[in-house]
Amino acid sequence: MRVLVVEDERVLADAIATGLRREAMAVDVAYDGAGALERTGYIDYDVIVLDRDLPKVHGDEVCRRLVAGRTASRILMLTASGDVDDKVEGLGLGADDYLAKPFVFIELVARVRALGRRSAPALPPVLERSGVRLDPGKRLVTRNGEEITLTKKEFAVLEELMRAEGAVVSQEDLLDKAWDENIDPFTNVVRVTMMTLRKKLGEPPVIETVPGVGYKL
């Protein structure tokens, strides 16, 4: 899942990004509204965590422009006020969800995951295919009932393959969804991650390479 965190309080923004990355999400950060609009112009995010009180371009205006541009991204708006009128106003701008500060981080994670499921065709919370069972909420993977320990990136790659429901996923799409904007597009990290993931999933192989196209499960 690719997430953009837009928050001008740098310590908070970086803390949120670090926490979400530990949940196997690919996270970029913008510290003002102008930076958010720039990134959303060339990256398709599944979820945008958007603070309302932003410098340069206010969070409300960022939300309006994204909605007017028919963004497919789901927007979770953050604010220092938990007042009902503010919540109604934020949702009225086109935000999909609203969370007041201070918040409990596990609630933020749960809301981001829920919005991420809504940014794509509806899928069950727990994914199953070819004997492999993946639970994003618990970060648990099993094959034929046996638990498999994966790194954050291996988990993210496997999740994207399972969400594709048998369709081919390109290396570019995996880089986009499982790594952030700092990744070198010419890196062999996807191939290396795929090798270790296949080894951990065991025999018979469930991940197929489609030469020149990508991978499918």
Side-chain angles (χ1 to χ4, degrees):
M1 184 188 304
R2 190 74 178 265
V3 179
L4 175 64
V5 174
V6 190
E7 168 63 64
D8 63 314
E9 295 182 32
R10 288 180 176 254
V11 173
L12 178 58
D14 293 343
I16 292 173
T18 298
L20 293 178
R21 287 175 184 134
R22 287 174 180 162
E23 297 294 324
M25 301 180 196
V27 185
D28 299 329
V29 179
Y31 300 110
D32 56 60
L37 291 172
E38 178 183 358
R39 283 172 172 77
T40 55
Y42 63 87
I43 298 175
D44 294 324
Y45 292 98
D46 298 297
V47 179
I48 300 171
V49 179
L50 177 66
D51 184 47
R52 288 191 74 176
D53 299 318
L54 293 171
K56 296 188 178 180
V57 181
H58 195 274
D60 289 358
E61 180 60 22
V62 173
C63 187
R64 287 193 193 95
R65 293 190 194 180
L66 290 173
V67 172
R70 298 183 180 276
T71 180
S73 305
R74 298 297 183 175
I75 301 172
L76 170 58
M77 190 167 278
L78 301 179
T79 181
S81 173
D83 184 80
V84 173
D85 289 339
D86 284 340
K87 290 183 179 180
V88 171
E89 183 180 359
L91 294 171
L93 293 169
D96 298 278
D97 200 358
Y98 196 99
L99 186 61
K101 303 175 187 175
F103 50 82
V104 179
F105 186 72
I106 57 174
E107 181 181 2
L108 173 68
V109 172
R111 289 174 182 264
V112 169
R113 286 201 180 281
L115 290 176
R117 289 195 294 270
R118 289 164 54 188
S119 70
L123 288 170
V126 177
L127 306 174
E128 295 188 57
R129 189 174 183 84
S130 301
V132 179
R133 190 173 191 271
L134 183 145
D135 186 332
K138 296 180 179 178
R139 290 211 51 223
L140 177 66
V141 174
T142 61
R143 184 174 186 188
N144 300 324
E146 183 176 344
E147 186 173 343
I148 300 171
T149 301
L150 301 179
T151 66
K152 292 189 291 288
K153 293 306 180 188
E154 290 166 351
F155 187 96
V157 167
L158 180 60
E159 183 175 1
E160 292 304 319
L161 291 175
M162 295 188 73
R163 289 191 180 280
E165 298 189 297
V168 176
V169 183
S170 69
Q171 174 171 303
E172 291 74 19
D173 285 341
L174 289 173
L175 283 172
D176 184 57
K177 295 296 185 180
W179 282 268
D180 60 27
E181 63 185 348
N182 298 313
I183 191 68
D184 180 354
F186 300 105
T187 182
N188 68 344
V189 67
V190 172
R191 183 172 60 83
V192 172
T193 301
M194 204 64 68
M195 288 172 58
T196 60
L197 180 57
R198 281 176 167 142
K199 183 176 180 180
K200 289 183 179 182
L201 290 175
E203 298 292 337
V206 292
I207 299 176
E208 177 184 347
T209 300
V210 182
V213 183
Y215 306 90
K216 69 177 183 178
L217 189 149

